[in-house]
Amino acid sequence: MGLVVQKYGGSSVADAEGIKRVAKRIAATKRAGHEVVVVVSAMGDTTDNLIDLAEQVSPRPPARELDMLLTSGERISMAVLAMAISNLGLEARSFTGSQAGVITDSSHGRARIIDVTPGRIRAALDEGSIAIVAGFQGVSQDTKDITTLGRGGSDTTAVALAAALKADVCEIYTDVDGVYTADPRIVPTARKINRIATEEMLEMAANGAKILMLRCVEYARNYDLPIHVRSSFSPHEGTWVTDAPIPEAFASPRVSQELQQQPVIVGIPHDDKEAKVTVVGVRDDPGIAAVIFKAIAQAEINIDMIVQNVSVGPSGRTDVSFTLPKAEGARAIDALEKVKPAVGFERVEYDDQIGKISLVGVGMRSHPGVSARMFEALAREQINLEMISTSEIRISVVTRADQLEGAVRAVHTAFGLDAKVEAVVYGGSGR
Ligand code: ASP
Ligand code: MG
């Protein structure tokens, strides 16, 4: 007997049928003798619909009120799911994030969890109940206002609760059978990964793989908590994200054995939500980059790739390019215009028609030639590389947005990752 935290995403609880299906699965886990904590997302596209609603009444809804509104989506799911479970003859109790002890900072819309005090959850389990927790939300330590953790934040709720409760495993239920070598919506021959190291999963999540939220993987790594990503629509074993041994009570015996050999490339995430900013005609003097990026940092903008070269020729000027989330583009341009007198650049260019494709795998540490093979595959498709950046276990390139999907497929094939069967996507509008 163990303790499992199961998280069900929006597509798994999209309608009454979905909720009943999930309730059966939870009941079966409980009847197998485990303690079960469930974290739920809002039903289907509820969160997007609530955002649309807010924008209809106000072009810039106050962040506090938007959070209050959005958390209602998860609260619907949790109560309805608890009802469905009780209809199966088991006791289930639902809790808001705040009731479950999810304590955050006060940045509305992207709050960070600073503590989890799950006393009421522990008590519910001790009384033999199944605890259902609304994902994606918490309460600010300072202001006591309700906060949300950012899109996809229920994953982080689940992992944080699992860590605080010392669970054996956190199961993340979604609409595909696990983490794939590429997004199966774009590469139908993507392969399910049986096991992935946490540092690889961090790179995948940070570079556009939407299957797990980055912060949730960081949390799991910091607390040595195994994550099992799997489908709520099928009984198949999913993907284990862990560096530690797989907890036997929660895995099929096949999996632990199969994981000895490590492929060079584990996956090819892509990102179509970034834009590129180029600061043209920057003086090539010490301290200039510091001024530019300090302005960006003060606007609380997270940047990704940076490219700069030394100036050639007598002009003494160069261009600095960087990528950032499209949603933060306007703020970045404002911030740069403010430091224009201090930096003395010519102009800022903004390009949101880019895509980023990355290659991830710890195996590339010891295998030369990986970038050459990637660039050759892209060259065969006549795809131009606009930016390149690398880490020890990742290579990323920026392409035109309309070439991104072709790029992912070409590189997937070039590294021999194509499966013989097509991946199944069970649900979700991908919205
Ligand atoms: N419902 C929220 C969203 O759609 C949180 C989540 O699903 O994890 O982003
Ligand atoms: Mg969702």
Side-chain angles (χ1 to χ4, degrees), residues 276-297:
K276 178 170 79 174
V277 172
T278 304
V279 191
V280 179
V282 182
R283 268 189 293 125
D284 194 6
D285 291 336
I288 295 289
V291 178
I292 293 180
F293 289 105
K294 191 162 174 215
I296 297 293

Side-chain angles (χ1 to χ4, degrees), residues 102-123:
V102 179
I103 300 172
T104 71
D105 64 17
S106 53
S107 356
H108 285 291
R110 50 170 172 191
R112 267 183 186 274
I113 297 178
I114 47 188
D115 198 10
V116 183
T117 52
R120 294 192 65 184
I121 306 300
R122 190 58 262 176

